[in-house]
Amino acid sequence: MNLLPDFRTLRPATAAEAAAALAGAGARPLAGGTDLLPNLRRGLGEPAVLVDLSALPDFTAVAVLADGGLLIGAGATLEDLAAHPTVRNDFPVLAQAALGVAGPTHRAAATLGGNLCQDTRCIFYNQSEWWREGNGWCLKLKGDKCHVVAKSDRCYATYHGDVAPALMVLDAAIDIAGPAATRTVPVAELFAEKGDRHLTLEPGEFVAAIRVPPPSGWRSGYEKARIRDAVDFPLAGIAVALRRDGDILAGLRVAVTGTNSAPLTVAVPDLVGRPWDRESAARLADAVRKTSLVLKTTVMGAKYRRRVAQGLATRLAATLWAAG
Amino acid sequence: MKSILALTVNGRRREDLVPDNMLLIDYLREVAGLTGTKQGCDGGECGACTVLVDDRPRLACSTLAHQAAGKRVETVEGLSRSGRMSALQQAFHEKLGTQCGFCTPGMIMAAEALLRKNPDPDRDEIRAALAGNLCRCTGYVKIVESVEAAKGVAP
C-alpha cells in the first residue's frame, strides 16, 4: 500500500460550499471513505482536495414521506438503511441490497451516495501500483491499452455496486446538487457505460439525496452471487420488482449489476398480462443475457457470471411471484 | 497541510496537529501511542484495525483521522478498567478466543460494538457481526464461543 497523496480536506457546511469546493481542480468528494481511501492507497487517483460531505445538513436522514415514499440523504449509512423498519417492510430490495454490501464494519461507515458512486473494478485495475506498472498500466489509468479486451478503445472495468439496481427497480430518482440548481434524474441516468468514466456528474456536482416513490403493490428483492458470503463484491447481482394481480403478472422490473460498466435496467420482454410460467422465465433469462456483457474482469470466469446472472433473475422473479 | 484535530480517545479529550491525509490507524498508533489497534491487510479487507467511533465499529485503516473530529474513539486499550480486563476480554482469554493474537483487538472491538447494540445476540448474530473480521489462525469457533460467554456478564 502507498502512502496517501498529500491532499487537503475540506468540510463544507452547506451544499453551495460543497459544490464550489468540488468544482475546484483535483477535488473529490469523501463520505464514508470505504471505497475511495483504499483505492487511493493503491495509487488509483491523486486528488489535491477531498471534500468531506459529512457536515452537510440533512445529509444522513432517512425520511418516510406522507405518501409512503422515501427521501434518503446521500450520507445515510448502509447499516442504517438496512435496519430501517420502513425500508425493510416496504422496500425489501433496498434493505437486502444494502445488507449485502461488504461486511458490517464497512456498512457502519459506507454511505448510500458513496455506494452509488463507487469506482468501477477490474482485475487489472484493483492492484498495487507496482503490479500495474509491471503490467504496463491500463486504459482506465495511466495506460493506453485494455488488458481485458485487446485493441479495445474503451475501458471495460465493471460496476459492482449492489444498491443501484435496487433503486432502479424501485423507479427511484437522484437529487444531484451542483454549482447551478439541484437537478433530479432517474437513477440510471447517473451512470454511463464507460469503465473509466462511469458517472455522469459534472464538475462540482454530487449526489445529495435519493427519492423513492411509494411501493404501491410492488414486491421486490435483491440477490447477489459472490465467492464468500461476506465482504465480497457481487460477481453478478439482480434486483427484481414484481406486481401480481391474482393469477396475472401485472408488472416486472429487473436490473443487473456486476456485469457491465454501469448498472443496467433489463429490457424485459412483454411478460405482463398472463401468469408467470417456465416460458416467462426462459424469456427473462434471455433478456438478462442480451443486456449483460460479462468479460474477464474478476477472478471468477465470465461464463459462470453470465449464467449465474440469468439464474438469479429467474429464481428471484419466481420467488416473488409465488410469495403471498 | 496540517490542522488541529480535537476528539476523545478512550475517554480522554485530545487535541493534536494532524496532517489532513493521516489515517486514523496511523494517528492512533503513531501520535496517540495506542498500538493495540493492529494494521493487518491495510486495505479494508481484514478488520484487524477495527475501533469504535461513537459506539459503531470502524476500520481505522480506511478512515482519515480528521473524519473522527469531535467524536468518541475507543480502542482495545480503552476496555480495561484499572488494569482489569473487561468481561469480553476475559472471555477471549478463558475460552481461548485468542491464538496468535493479531486479529484479537479487531475481533474484540467488533464484538464490543455488537454487545452494546444487542446485549443478547444468538450465534448467527455473532457470526454476522464478525463477518468482516478475518482470523488467519482460523480460530473462529473459539472466537464465537468467547463472545457467547461474555454476553450477559457485566462489562
Side-chain angles (χ1 to χ4, degrees):
Chain A
M1 289 289 181
N2 301 6
L3 292 174
L4 283 170
D6 192 16
F7 51 74
R8 291 178 61 204
T9 52
L10 301 175
R11 189 181 285 176
T14 67
E17 286 172 34
L22 283 168
R28 296 278 299 271
L30 171 70
T34 54
D35 187 51
L36 178 64
L37 295 175
N39 279 355
L40 294 182
R41 299 290 304 282
R42 291 196 163 96
L44 303 174
E46 286 179 57
V49 179
L50 291 191
V51 182
D52 180 351
L53 302 177
S54 63
L56 297 183
D58 297 328
F59 198 57
T60 60
V62 182
V64 182
L65 304 177
D67 64 359
L70 300 172
L71 179 59
I72 309 168
T77 65
L78 298 178
E79 177 187 270
D80 285 347
L81 205 54
H84 194 285
T86 307
V87 177
R88 288 165 57 123
N89 279 330
D90 296 350
F91 307 92
V93 63
L94 186 52
Q96 289 162 13
L99 192 63
V101 176
T105 311
H106 304 95
R107 292 193 294 272
T111 64
L112 175 55
N115 186 272
L116 291 175
C117 295
Q118 68 179 263
D119 201 358
T120 52
R121 306 181 63 82
C122 179
I123 41 172
F124 296 100
Y125 176 68
N126 298 95
Q127 301 285 357
S128 65
E129 192 156 34
W130 62 261
W131 191 103
R132 287 179 290 118
E133 185 178 12
N135 199 41
W137 307 112
C138 79
L139 206 54
K140 186 161 162 70
L141 192 68
K142 292 186 182 178
D144 56 8
K145 65 172 177 247
C146 175
H147 303 288
V148 176
V149 179
K151 296 182 184 166
S152 166
D153 56 0
R154 71 156 268 211
C155 165
Y156 285 96
T158 314
Y159 182 80
H160 289 277
D162 289 297
V163 185
L167 291 173
M168 285 158 68
V169 299
L170 292 173
D171 204 20
I174 299 186
D175 284 357
I176 296 174
T182 297
R183 60 190 176 106
T184 302
V185 300
V187 171
E189 288 181 24
L190 177 65
F191 302 99
E193 251 244 82
K194 294 181 205 155
D196 55 351
R197 200 175 185 288
H198 69 295
L199 296 177
T200 57
L201 297 174
E202 300 293 332
E205 287 191 327
F206 64 94
V207 174
I210 288 82
R211 296 173 182 276
V212 186
S216 53
W218 289 86
R219 308 162 182 181
S220 63
Y222 178 76
E223 277 203 57
K224 67 193 278 192
R226 48 181 164 176
I227 293 171
R228 296 171 293 173
D229 250 356
V231 180
D232 279 340
F233 287 93
L235 297 167
I238 292 278
V240 175
L242 180 148
R243 214 165 49 178
R244 179 174 176 168
D245 184 9
D247 276 338
I248 299 295
L249 181 68
L252 180 65
R253 298 189 197 127
V254 180
V256 60
T257 187
T259 56
N260 296 57
S261 294
L264 294 177
T265 299
V266 175
V268 178
D270 189 18
L271 301 175
V272 299
R274 53 191 214 84
W276 175 264
D277 56 19
R278 288 178 67 178
E279 195 203 322
S280 318
R283 291 177 65 194
L284 175 61
D286 199 46
V288 171
R289 182 183 61 76
K290 283 180 183 152
T291 305
S292 48
L293 176 66
V294 182
L295 297 165
K296 181 81 176 108
T297 55
T298 71
V299 290
M300 179 65 78
K303 190 175 173 189
Y304 173 78
R305 286 164 62 211
R306 254 176 235 132
R307 292 190 57 180
V308 84
Q310 297 169 38
L312 290 176
T314 52
R315 183 173 76 185
L316 192 51
T319 306
L320 292 171
W321 167 261
Chain B
M1 170 116 181
K2 291 185 178 184
S3 47
I4 297 285
L5 169 65
L7 77 175
T8 305
V9 179
N10 293 337
R12 294 178 63 176
R13 283 190 54 76
R14 293 184 62 106
E15 284 188 19
D16 297 285
L17 190 62
V18 172
D20 280 11
N21 67 347
M22 183 175 248
L23 291 164
L24 182 59
I25 188 162
D26 294 327
Y27 169 77
L28 291 172
R29 291 178 59 91
E30 311 291 334
V31 179
L34 297 167
T35 53
T37 303
K38 296 293 181 262
Q39 202 159 17
C41 71
D42 204 19
E45 294 164 30
C46 79
C49 65
T50 306
V51 298
L52 300 189
V53 176
D54 285 352
D55 297 314
R56 283 181 163 198
R58 185 98 189 200
L59 296 169
C61 78
S62 304
T63 306
L64 295 176
H66 281 282
Q67 287 181 281
K71 300 194 159 135
R72 284 182 296 111
V73 177
E74 293 170 78
T75 68
V76 71
E77 289 94 337
L79 294 183
S80 61
R81 290 282 172 270
S82 320
R84 301 175 83 103
M85 289 191 283
S86 73
L88 183 59
Q89 289 173 306
Q90 189 71 34
F92 267 74
H93 177 57
E94 288 175 3
K95 296 289 176 185
L96 307 178
T98 292
Q99 290 184 36
C100 85
F102 198 84
C103 75
T104 308
M107 288 284 181
I108 288 182
M109 297 317 282
E112 175 76 17
L114 169 68
L115 292 174
R116 285 186 192 180
K117 202 169 67 173
N118 175 5
D120 188 26
D122 63 29
R123 192 163 275 233
D124 285 343
E125 288 169 328
I126 294 170
R127 289 165 55 96
L130 299 180
N133 291 72
L134 302 186
C135 167
R136 287 210 69 182
C137 308
T138 68
Y140 293 105
V141 171
K142 293 291 178 188
I143 289 168
V144 173
E145 283 176 10
S146 302
V147 181
E148 278 195 304
K151 74 182 187 188
V153 182

